[in-house]
Amino acid sequence: SYQKHIRNFSIIAHIDHGKSTLADRIIENTGLVAHRDMKEQFLDNMDLERERGITIKLQTTRLVYKAKNGEEYIFNLIDTPGHVDFTYEVSRSLAACEGAVLIVDATQGVEAQTLANVYLALDENLEIIPTLNKIDLASARPDEVKLEIEDIIGIDAENAPLVSAKEGIGIEDLLEAIVAQVPAPSGSIEGKLKALIFDSYYDNYKGVVIYTRVFDGRVKKGDMIRMMNTKKKYEVTEVGVCSPGPVACKELRAGEVGYICASIKQVADARVGDTITLDADPTEESLPGYKKVQSMVYCGIYPAEGEKYENVKDALEKLQVNDAAFNFEAETSQALGFGFRCGFLGLLHMEIIVERLEREFNLAVITTSPSVIYRVVLNNGEIQMIQNPSNLPKLTEISYIEEPIVKADIMIPKEYVGAIMELCQDRRGKMIHMEYITETRVQLHYEMPLNEVIYDFFDALKSKTRGYGSLDYEFIRYERSQVVKLDVLLNKDLVDAFSMIVHESKAYARGKFVCEKLKEIIPMHQFEVPIQAAIGQKIIARETVRAYRKDVIAKCYGGDISRKKKLLEKQKEGKKRMRQFGTVEVPQEAFTAVLKYD
Ligand code: GTP
């Protein structure tokens, strides 16, 4: 049957081990795209992604490969996002496959996300093809890394293809291994339609384009489909394959991968992980693993001085249409006025959205301190999920607060164990255990509050290990914790946008840090500006921005006219990027500067 010649697979790897480069090579070697048409990094299609060198949105490509046995195979290469923030999306795209090419950088060896991705692939019962990349480099040590794969992951790596994605070495071996080792799809074309949504994007003309893997049955234009979990119904307007641009076809059958359009207005209506079936003849059971992605990190996004609220709202709506994991609602801040509370999968996701607002929509925005969601239990037994520090109920009403805990797996060369254990301890981590995965490399397993991870833990890990440390984490539970709300007062006025929830043991250090940082950033005023950090009524830290000295002002007025003009110009420039809080002017950078600590 046609299924015998289909291979559905993903490439999984730790960040920077060469996934995108290899994908490009595979596309090139399967001959569908002429070399001159290849844009660098074919699969990563957003500018931001390219700049940051990470894959955020999935892309899928259908390729034709003529194997050494003379037969033609259809390869559906399903890309996976390469960052811990997107684990659920990775797991759903793997669920669309029968196999996974596991790339390991032959100079680096197995890393935290190599393992995390392997576990996801094993959960989906995928055939894993270990592949060593970057063998062109003098520092490559393929034999050692093979042993590492066998020891750590427990899969046979003896015959792992040795490739250089960059130089195009060994690609053929890999393609043959895919033909030989990845199982062909099974599934019945006569069965009731069962198709997995593993990605989607919004197209201005077609509406939402769903990437799907059909497991049973068939789907074509005109069919009335139903989403099993959201229960929404749509009429199919087009089905097709990604080659890599959309190419319409008559139908998609069991085992095939392609896209479906059905005039769907936003990606949230076609949720990743949901099962598509026919409304008239539905399957009984949806595919396993559906879950609604939960935002883990929240922050406020506000128009900066001179920016229009409506413009920011429009942009956020546009972003949301294309990103089901991003959500927002209106909120007001005493300090910043009208704005939005936004939810993200993680800090990287947040940074990406903010950057897109600035770059693609040309907007100036202010973001408040990111916060995790706290579970607040009140004295009367009521439970509130709080994502905005300003909404924390009065202390007297609170019985206790719980915070989200993650399981963090950290992989490092052994010489950094001391430094990283110290770092984790400082971040309130609890060590679960530690294991030597090779003679020189160690994996540390910690439980750590998410709150500590979102404040630049990853940067700290990288800098303390000279870039060699890697991290993977996932939410495990809520745990009771002594957290408090830390407020910032400027000239005695509370500025709610700076409020944050911190652990009691960190409050003093954090309060001091924030005051010192703000002192550096807030310009001199005509009067003295006290900067205070407080918990409730109690001031725990204080700094002061001194007032202008009289003679400075006098000088200005006394000077020649052109100099005065220049000064005024300069002041105006500065104004634009300032926010007025009561009597105090704060530059925009203050909001991000207080978040970094180390
Ligand atoms: P994410 O998209 O973030 O997951 O990264 P990636 O795994 O796709 O890595 P990418 O393909 O962007 O490669 C990372 C870096 O390694 C780039 O600078 C590549 O040029 C380089 N690289 C990839 N393959 C090879 C190779 O075979 N040899 C050498 N020398 N460099 C390579």
Side-chain angles (χ1 to χ4, degrees):
S1 94
Y2 66 96
Q3 288 180 342
K4 232 175 75 193
H5 291 98
I6 297 177
R7 297 292 180 272
N8 299 319
F9 66 96
S10 282
I11 305 176
I12 52 178
H14 186 72
I15 235 159
D16 275 348
H17 281 200
K19 194 180 70 187
S20 304
T21 313
L22 182 70
D24 289 352
R25 258 324 149 190
I26 291 179
I27 292 170
E28 204 182 285
N29 274 261
T30 42
L32 277 191
V33 185
H35 196 271
R36 63 177 186 286
D37 294 336
M38 292 270 306
K39 259 199 275 164
E40 219 188 309
Q41 307 266 311
F42 208 88
L43 289 179
D44 289 355
N45 63 349
M46 279 167 56
D47 276 358
L48 257 180
E49 287 187 32
R50 194 158 319 143
E51 269 168 46
R52 286 170 176 250
I54 47 157
T55 312
I56 304 155
K57 277 316 264 185
L58 308 171
Q59 281 279 298
T60 288
T61 317
R62 182 180 185 272
L63 306 159
V64 178
Y65 174 60
K66 188 151 190 199
K68 284 193 178 138
N69 64 11
E71 298 189 30
E72 277 190 352
Y73 290 84
I74 290 177
F75 279 6
N76 290 306
L77 167 52
I78 295 166
D79 199 13
T80 56
H83 190 274
V84 288
D85 280 4
F86 304 94
T87 303
Y88 179 64
E89 296 190 0
V90 176
S91 82
R92 289 311 86 203
S93 43
L94 293 178
C97 303
E98 276 77 29
V101 172
L102 170 68
I103 307 189
V104 182
D105 184 329
T107 68
Q108 304 278 330
V110 174
E111 299 276 3
Q113 282 162 47
T114 313
L115 264 182
N117 283 319
V118 165
Y119 292 141
L120 292 176
L122 291 174
D123 283 346
E124 302 301 328
N125 291 316
L126 303 192
E127 182 68 32
I128 296 175
I129 304 177
T131 304
L132 303 190
N133 188 32
K134 308 199 187 181
I135 56 149
D136 59 294
L137 294 175
S139 52
R141 34 183 190 90
D143 293 331
E144 268 173 64
V145 172
K146 272 185 189 176
L147 287 178
E148 222 177 275
I149 293 173
E150 295 190 341
D151 281 358
I152 303 169
I153 303 176
I155 54 178
D156 186 4
E158 200 186 324
N159 300 315
L162 302 182
V163 308
S164 164
K166 194 170 168 201
E167 305 294 330
I169 302 166
I171 307 300
E172 182 100 8
D173 289 348
L174 175 60
L175 297 176
E176 287 296 321
I178 292 168
V179 168
Q181 292 173 39
V182 175
S186 50
S188 157
I189 193 170
E190 308 305 337
K192 297 180 192 242
L193 178 65
K194 208 182 239 190
L196 172 72
I197 301 177
F198 62 86
D199 190 22
S200 61
Y201 70 93
Y202 185 78
D203 178 281
N204 282 333
Y205 300 102
K206 299 179 179 179
V208 173
V209 179
I210 297 170
Y211 285 126
T212 189
R213 156 71 195 271
V214 181
F215 281 89
D216 284 314
R218 56 219 296 173
V219 57
K220 59 180 189 311
K221 183 175 168 176
D223 283 345
M224 186 58 89
I225 52 170
R226 185 201 302 174
M227 311 296 178
M228 301 268 296
N229 288 288
T230 62
K231 310 232 165 12
K232 302 217 162 135
K233 295 176 198 178
Y234 302 93
E235 186 183 324
V236 175
T237 56
E238 182 178 325
V239 301
V241 295
C242 320
S243 171
V247 178
C249 67
K250 219 177 110 243
E251 62 173 359
L252 292 174
R253 301 168 294 178
E256 293 183 318
V257 171
Y259 69 88
I260 296 177
C261 303
S263 306
I264 302 171
K265 297 281 178 313
Q266 49 178 338
V267 291
D269 293 330
R271 290 193 183 279
V272 167
D274 208 343
T275 304
I276 300 172
T277 192
L278 287 184
D279 191 46
D281 185 20
T283 170
E284 317 244 288
E285 232 181 289
S286 50
L287 294 158
Y290 173 80
K291 84 181 182 204
K292 202 178 147 190
V293 282
Q294 278 294 327
S295 299
M296 299 293 284
V297 174
Y298 284 80
C299 81
I301 293 186
Y302 287 82
E305 201 95 341
E307 191 63 77
K308 287 207 183 72
Y309 175 84
E310 286 302 325
N311 293 349
V312 176
K313 185 166 176 233
D314 278 355
L316 292 176
E317 275 166 2
K318 289 204 175 98
L319 289 172
Q320 189 175 36
V321 159
N322 221 336
D323 185 347
F326 165 63
N327 61 70
F328 71 94
E329 59 187 51
E331 76 168 4
T332 43
S333 150
Q334 269 168 19
L336 296 171
F338 293 103
F340 306 90
R341 176 104 321 221
C342 304
F344 312 91
L345 293 174
L347 217 52
L348 178 81
H349 189 207
M350 171 180 131
E351 283 170 16
I352 288 166
I353 295 275
V354 171
E355 236 174 283
R356 291 185 67 182
L357 284 173
E358 286 170 353
R359 272 208 248 173
E360 288 169 36
F361 296 90
N362 236 323
L363 294 172
V365 294
I366 287 175
T367 56
T368 64
S369 302
S371 169
V372 300
I373 307 176
Y374 293 90
R375 196 168 173 273
V376 180
V377 181
L378 302 182
N379 288 327
N380 63 12
E382 192 192 322
I383 292 169
Q384 289 186 9
M385 302 304 281
I386 298 288
Q387 358 133 331
N388 182 347
S390 308
N391 296 343
L392 199 68
K394 282 204 198 71
L395 285 178
T396 49
E397 294 171 13
I398 298 174
S399 168
Y400 60 92
I401 300 177
E402 292 182 341
E403 66 176 333
I405 305 289
V406 298
K407 170 170 146 315
D409 300 323
I410 300 162
M411 217 177 263
I412 44 172
K414 72 172 176 200
E415 58 266 38
Y416 302 113
V417 166
I420 297 310
M421 282 172 59
E422 209 173 291
L423 173 68
C424 291
Q425 187 148 1
D426 179 55
R427 300 297 173 95
R428 297 190 284 131
K430 210 162 53 194
M431 188 156 96
I432 304 306
H433 75 124
M434 160 175 147
E435 58 194 317
Y436 271 81
I437 53 176
T438 65
E439 259 164 47
T440 54
R441 286 153 40 84
V442 171
Q443 186 163 33
L444 301 172
H445 303 274
Y446 271 88
E447 288 183 3
M448 218 182 298
L450 179 61
N451 164 304
E452 299 285 340
V453 178
I454 65 170
Y455 290 114
D456 76 349
F457 177 76
F458 191 59
D459 289 346
L461 172 71
K462 280 283 171 199
S463 74
K464 284 184 196 300
T465 59
R466 296 170 186 270
Y468 287 113
S470 58
L471 164 76
D472 186 71
Y473 67 85
E474 66 179 340
F475 168 77
I476 46 174
R477 64 167 178 275
Y478 270 91
E479 202 172 275
R480 196 165 164 160
S481 172
Q482 287 302 335
V483 293
V484 294
K485 177 162 163 259
L486 180 66
D487 291 319
V488 174
L489 293 85
L490 296 180
N491 203 14
K492 308 274 156 82
D493 288 332
L494 193 151
V495 179
D496 59 358
F498 285 120
S499 293
M500 56 183 96
I501 294 176
V502 294
H503 192 258
E504 206 176 42
S505 67
K506 297 285 186 69
Y508 284 86
R510 189 100 188 125
K512 185 160 172 281
F513 172 84
V514 170
C515 290
E516 283 168 0
K517 206 76 207 170
L518 287 177
K519 183 186 175 184
E520 279 170 29
I521 291 171
I522 294 175
M524 281 195 260
H525 285 60
Q526 311 271 10
F527 46 87
E528 215 177 67
V529 179
I531 304 169
Q532 295 163 307
I535 298 171
Q537 300 300 318
K538 194 163 123 213
I539 304 294
I540 60 167
R542 175 185 168 130
E543 294 286 337
T544 308
V545 180
R546 282 184 299 120
Y548 281 124
R549 289 214 317 269
K550 285 244 168 48
D551 53 345
V552 176
I553 300 167
K555 238 188 222 159
C556 293
Y557 287 102
D560 68 275
I561 194 86
S562 77
R563 185 162 170 263
K564 211 153 86 185
K565 224 165 142 187
K566 240 189 216 157
L567 236 137
L568 282 173
E569 257 347 286
K570 228 177 169 171
Q571 265 177 9
K572 234 165 76 192
E573 270 288 298
K575 273 254 166 55
K576 268 196 243 155
R577 277 166 282 120
M578 296 279 187
R579 251 349 260 227
Q580 182 91 29
F581 295 125
T583 49
V584 182
E585 288 192 324
V586 181
Q588 213 163 293
E589 59 180 300
F591 293 90
T592 40
V594 298
L595 302 180
K596 303 263 171 214
Y597 81 140
D598 245 356

